[in-house]
Amino acid sequence: MAMKSSIALALAGLLAATAAMSAPPAAHQTRERAARPPRAEGSADKKPEPKQAVKQFFQPSETRSAGLVTVGGQQIAYDAVAGTLVVHAKDWEDTDEVEADADSSSAKDKNAPKPEASMYYVAYFRQGAPAAGRPISFLFNGGPGSSSIWLHMGAFGPVRVQTLDARHNPPAPYSTVNNDASLLDASDLVFIDAPGTGFSRVAGKDKDKAFYGVDQDIHAFTDFITQFLTKYGRWNSPKYVFGESYGTMRAAGLTLALKKADVDLNGVMLLSDILNWDFMPDDPQLNPGIDTPYIVALPTYAATAWYFNKAADRPADLHAFLDGVEQFATGDYAQALLKGNALPDAERQRIAQRLSAYTGLPVSYLLKSNLRIEYGAFQKELLSSQALTTGTLDTRFAGATLDPLSKVASYDPQSAAIGAAYVAAYHDYVRDRLRYQPGIQFKSGIPIYGKWDYKHQPPGADKPLIMLPNVLPDLASAMKQNPTMKVMVNGGYFDVSTPYFEGKMELRHLPVPASLLGNIEYHYYQSGHMVYVRPDTLHELHDNVADFIRRTEVAR
């Protein structure tokens, strides 16, 4: 799960981390709002971990179990491995530890011990399927700072947490069920927790600088994946990466990083994508002159108004409605924003009236906001007459407004509705079903958004750039060098953390030749950031992803 406000939360962005105001479920998917201090983690996270347990954790480990899952009426037997692989910072050599052991004085060197990360994963292998021809998919959420509990227990693992759709989930006890939308029918699965999250840990000198950044994170996952391919003999398997929210930035970066490590991916799957942070709707009012965030968020505002019957002359067909909104957003609305203070009053009034019809917000409010809508303000204003705040990750969710006098929403009702269910169910599952008991605390998310290193060195640059990160050049370079690789884009219409139209607009600006545009496909759902939370859209997502893998597991 990139997010805003505080991190307690995937989601499962989802990119998990959300918005100018929200507190994502356990450091979930998307971005955490930088303007607000991160919420303190639970008291369990603050307890010091036993030194011996931590020491033992920084070495490869695995715990094996087996199970059955029924998908589409077919029973699938699988082997499960819960374990860790140790990765190191960039420029580390595999002889470093040997040299340190040979020269004990090096342990006293100011650069020792070097930073390392013990990365936790859960892998599922279908029994009886030859490894060489069996696809393998590496899946992860975002944050930055989110574990992959959301994709694991909500989307594609063999067991799924039961939660209510668009409503707050009752407290414990929580239940899990057979996941008939598990992706094990199409691919073996590896759910990876980013360094510091889940049961993953970091250690050594300057450990935060070594792993908490755009490029550092991509390097760690590249190291992990190549190690995994070697350990389990999967170099000749069809290979995929699936990222959600900030995880889509990681996934797009991995396409090129893995290519440089001699790994050609068959495909990359993006859910609730955020590849160019100049498109991001977080705090756009602090960056005057950059109006793209308002443009890409507008269709989601309109979809939300449609859902709550606030749109004028509401049509029955959501898709046809959004087609018109998208045209307005990139046409008259974009031109009006581009004119800035030179926009004539009559035109300003006309645009405000059209915005009001689409979003359900009063014309007077839109004029006061200079035609520019912050998504936290939208969440707070749409149902203000009912003292309700809509969700960030999924605007179909609504909860009581915490502060009626605030400008923006101060929490995310969806995160509040489902986060506890996922974490509690996972604690039982990992120990009872996976038999994994590491002796350290599971961290669904960690508050690292504020200290994340956002500098990124795209292909063609001789150093990391001081600008908002953009991995479109990485993805484009990987597609040019690996022209058989396919790209799948997925999103939810009711996600204001990473708006679905943001994904469309990003890929419209992907610098690739026209001959490669056919390698990209788009799928959108009547759900939010975590498309899988809603059972019917979970099955749509499964069917689309499984079909994508089956069509691309052999290069054609």
Side-chain angles (χ1 to χ4, degrees):
M1 343 189 154
M3 212 108 275
K4 283 198 154 186
S5 124
S6 26
I7 263 184
L9 195 270
L11 187 66
L14 324 242
L15 234 103
T18 224
M21 75 246 71
S22 62
H28 197 163
Q29 318 306 332
T30 154
R31 302 162 307 281
E32 155 191 19
R33 189 175 187 82
R36 306 186 194 286
R39 188 173 72 196
E41 294 179 86
S43 58
D45 285 345
K46 295 180 180 179
K47 294 178 180 178
E49 294 163 357
K51 291 184 178 180
Q52 187 64 24
V54 173
K55 181 178 179 181
Q56 292 176 349
F57 203 68
F58 282 87
Q59 56 186 339
S61 66
E62 65 173 38
T63 300
R64 289 182 172 267
S65 58
L68 295 171
V69 62
T70 301
V71 182
Q74 177 186 14
Q75 192 173 73
I76 299 172
Y78 62 83
D79 293 315
V81 179
T84 56
L85 289 175
V86 178
V87 304
H88 298 84
K90 194 173 184 180
D91 300 326
W92 182 87
E93 297 291 341
D94 54 12
T95 57
D96 284 358
E97 288 186 2
V98 175
E99 292 173 354
D101 291 340
D103 180 10
S104 59
S105 65
S106 65
K108 300 177 183 179
D109 186 87
K110 65 179 181 179
N111 294 321
K114 292 189 175 181
E116 59 184 354
S118 173
M119 290 181 66
Y120 169 74
Y121 64 93
V122 179
Y124 297 99
F125 305 112
R126 183 168 184 168
Q127 293 180 358
R134 173 74 170 162
I136 187 164
S137 299
F138 298 91
L139 306 95
F140 36 80
N141 283 103
S146 173
S147 69
S148 292
I149 182 177
W150 319 102
L151 281 173
H152 189 173
M153 299 298 288
F156 297 133
V159 168
R160 178 170 60 85
V161 179
Q162 281 192 308
T163 58
L164 300 176
D165 182 44
R167 287 181 292 161
H168 194 284
N169 214 66
Y174 305 106
S175 60
T176 58
V177 295
N178 170 82
N179 185 10
D180 56 357
S182 172
L183 202 55
L184 267 169
D185 60 334
S187 173
D188 288 344
L189 307 172
V190 187
F191 297 94
I192 311 169
D193 283 347
T197 73
F199 290 121
S200 296
R201 293 295 185 268
V202 296
K205 182 179 176 60
D206 295 328
K207 59 185 180 182
D208 289 2
K209 292 181 181 179
F211 295 107
Y212 296 157
V214 175
D215 290 350
Q216 300 93 314
D217 177 79
I218 291 171
H219 169 78
F221 273 79
T222 301
D223 189 352
F224 175 93
I225 290 172
T226 52
Q227 282 194 52
F228 188 97
L229 296 175
T230 298
K231 180 172 183 175
Y232 294 101
R234 302 305 296 263
W235 279 89
N236 208 31
S237 298
K239 306 171 196 69
Y240 299 84
V241 294
F242 187 112
E244 178 179 356
S245 195
Y246 181 85
T248 62
M249 173 161 280
R250 178 186 297 136
L254 279 170
T255 60
L256 183 58
L258 286 170
K259 175 64 181 173
K260 292 179 179 178
D262 300 314
V263 178
D264 274 359
L265 293 172
N266 292 62
V268 56
M269 296 162 281
L270 310 175
L271 174 60
S272 304
D273 53 304
I274 170 64
L275 308 183
N276 178 355
W277 278 40
D278 277 312
F279 284 28
M280 187 174 71
D282 294 36
D283 299 315
Q285 75 283 359
L286 301 179
N287 195 16
I290 305 300
D291 290 319
T292 307
Y294 302 107
I295 295 168
V296 299
L298 179 58
T300 296
Y301 300 155
T304 307
W306 178 91
Y307 180 82
F308 286 107
N309 294 306
K310 298 291 185 178
D313 301 320
R314 179 185 184 276
D317 187 343
L318 174 62
H319 301 97
F321 175 59
L322 292 179
D323 284 344
V325 179
E326 291 176 18
Q327 293 176 25
F328 169 70
T330 55
D332 288 353
Y333 184 51
Q335 292 176 27
L337 296 183
L338 185 62
K339 292 178 182 178
N341 294 334
L343 183 68
D345 289 343
E347 189 173 354
R348 187 183 303 274
Q349 184 72 29
R350 181 178 66 85
I351 295 296
Q353 289 173 348
R354 292 196 65 185
L355 279 176
S356 178
Y358 284 137
T359 66
L361 298 181
V363 170
S364 58
Y365 177 86
L366 294 166
L367 291 173
K368 284 193 297 183
S369 70
N370 198 23
L371 307 180
R372 291 160 174 83
I373 310 169
E374 295 178 52
Y375 75 78
F378 175 82
Q379 292 175 256
K380 169 78 184 319
E381 291 297 321
L382 182 67
L383 304 179
S384 60
S385 63
Q386 301 165 254
L388 293 175
T389 291
T390 69
T392 304
L393 298 174
D394 191 332
T395 57
R396 297 177 306 122
F397 284 74
T401 298
L402 298 186
D403 180 2
L405 299 179
S406 66
K407 177 184 176 184
V408 298
S410 49
Y411 79 116
D412 176 19
Q414 192 207 35
S415 299
I418 67 174
Y422 272 75
V423 173
Y426 187 72
H427 273 280
D428 284 346
Y429 174 74
V430 74
R431 287 166 171 79
D432 297 343
R433 298 282 292 274
L434 298 179
R435 303 174 186 171
Y436 189 75
Q437 300 185 30
I440 59 175
Q441 181 65 32
F442 177 79
K443 299 181 179 182
S444 59
I446 58 175
I448 58 173
Y449 184 90
K451 59 184 176 183
W452 196 256
D453 179 5
Y454 292 96
K455 294 191 297 294
H456 172 56
Q457 183 172 346
D462 60 1
K463 59 185 176 182
L465 303 180
I466 303 175
M467 57 183 286
L468 289 175
N470 184 345
V471 291
L472 289 174
D474 303 66
L475 179 59
S477 181
M479 292 177 69
K480 293 171 185 176
Q481 296 179 64
N482 178 14
T484 60
M485 183 183 71
K486 301 300 191 291
V487 180
M488 181 189 195
V489 180
N490 300 275
Y493 290 123
F494 304 110
D495 173 16
V496 295
S497 179
T498 57
Y500 84 90
F501 194 50
E502 177 180 359
K504 282 189 180 182
M505 289 289 286
E506 286 175 342
L507 275 297
R508 285 181 187 178
H509 292 82
L510 186 68
V512 296
S515 60
L516 290 177
L517 293 177
N519 286 9
I520 308 170
E521 59 185 72
Y522 302 85
H523 301 272
Y524 294 103
Y525 310 85
Q526 290 197 36
S527 191
H529 193 82
M530 305 165 74
V531 166
Y532 42 85
V533 167
R534 185 177 180 182
D536 55 348
T537 52
L538 165 61
H539 285 86
E540 286 182 52
L541 178 66
H542 164 272
D543 293 348
N544 289 335
V545 173
D547 178 63
F548 176 80
I549 291 174
R550 291 172 180 135
R551 286 186 283 110
T552 58
E553 61 182 274
V554 177
R556 291 177 174 84

